[in-house]
Amino acid sequence: AQDCQVANIQVMQNFNKTMYAGTWYAVGKKDPDGLFLLDNIVATFSIGEDGKMTATAKGRVIILDNWEMCAEMFGTFEETPEPAKFKMKYWGAASYLQSGNDNHWVIDTDYDNYAIHYSCRVVDTDGTCLDSYSLIFSRHPTGLRAEDQPTVTQKKLELCLLGKYRRVPHTGELISTKRPQF
Ligand code: DAO
C-alpha cells in the first residue's frame, strides 16, 4: 500500500552512478508547478575524475509565455548518505533559463534500458509531496521496451503519481535559435 509519505519513498538500492552515466531520453514526465522543460528532453550524466556526478540536459522550453526555444542546462550533484539520493544544483546556459536546487532521486533503473527519477520540491505538513516532478528515462529515444512498462507503472504507483505523467515526444526538431510561437 502507498502511504505517499516522501520519507517512505523507496529508492534504487546499491545505486551505481558509473553504470548510470551516459545518455537518457525522457519519455514520460510528471510536471512540477511552473512547468519548464516541455519535450525533446535528453540528459547526459558523467562522472568526473573526482568521482562526482554532473549532467547536461537539453529540452524545449517556453519562456515568457510565448518564446519557444532549446534550453541547454547544466547540473552538479551532491551526494547524501543514501547513494540514490542526490541534491542537484542546476542552471541554464543563458541567464533567462531556470536555475535552482532540487532533490534528485533515482527510484529504479536497470542501467541499460529504463530509469525512474523523482524530485519533491515541497513537502506538505502531512508529509506528502506538495510539488514534485518526475522523469521516466529510456536509453532508447523510441521509448520504453514493452517488458519494462509494468515495472515503471508499479513505481509510478508507489510514488503516488500514477496517471499524472504525460508522454514526452522526441521530434528531433530542436533548434537553438529563439523564435516566436504564434
Ligand atoms: O521541467 O519543470 C521542469 C523542472 C526541471 C528542472 C531541472 C532542469 C535541469 C536539469 C539538469 C540536469 C539533468 C536532469
Side-chain angles (χ1 to χ4, degrees), residues 97-118:
L97 295 170
Q98 269 191 19
S99 61
N101 265 289
D102 282 342
N103 285 311
H104 188 100
W105 294 0
V106 180
I107 301 301
D108 191 21
T109 185
D110 71 346
Y111 302 103
D112 295 326
N113 297 287
Y114 74 91
I116 300 149
H117 148 278
Y118 174 82

Side-chain angles (χ1 to χ4, degrees), residues 29 31-38 43 45 55-57 73-75 77 88 90 98 102 104 121 133 135 137:
K29 184 168 182 269
D31 293 314
D33 293 344
L35 154 73
F36 180 56
L37 291 170
L38 293 174
F45 294 83
T56 60
M73 305 296 294
F74 305 100
F77 297 83
M88 177 181 77
Y90 71 95
Q98 269 191 19
D102 282 342
H104 188 100
R121 282 180 165 165
Y133 67 100
L135 292 157
F137 284 125

Side-chain angles (χ1 to χ4, degrees), residues 58-82:
K58 276 187 180 179
R60 195 171 65 95
V61 295
I62 299 281
I63 50 163
L64 307 173
D65 288 335
N66 60 350
W67 291 94
E68 177 192 320
M69 60 174 298
C70 175
E72 218 182 326
M73 305 296 294
F74 305 100
T76 57
F77 297 83
E78 191 189 305
E79 295 185 8
T80 72
E82 285 188 76

Side-chain angles (χ1 to χ4, degrees), residues 4 7 14 60 68 71 90 104 109 131 136 146-147 155 157:
C4 302
N14 306 308
R60 195 171 65 95
E68 177 192 320
Y90 71 95
H104 188 100
T109 185
D131 183 12
I136 307 297
E147 55 263 57
K155 292 296 170 185
L157 183 70

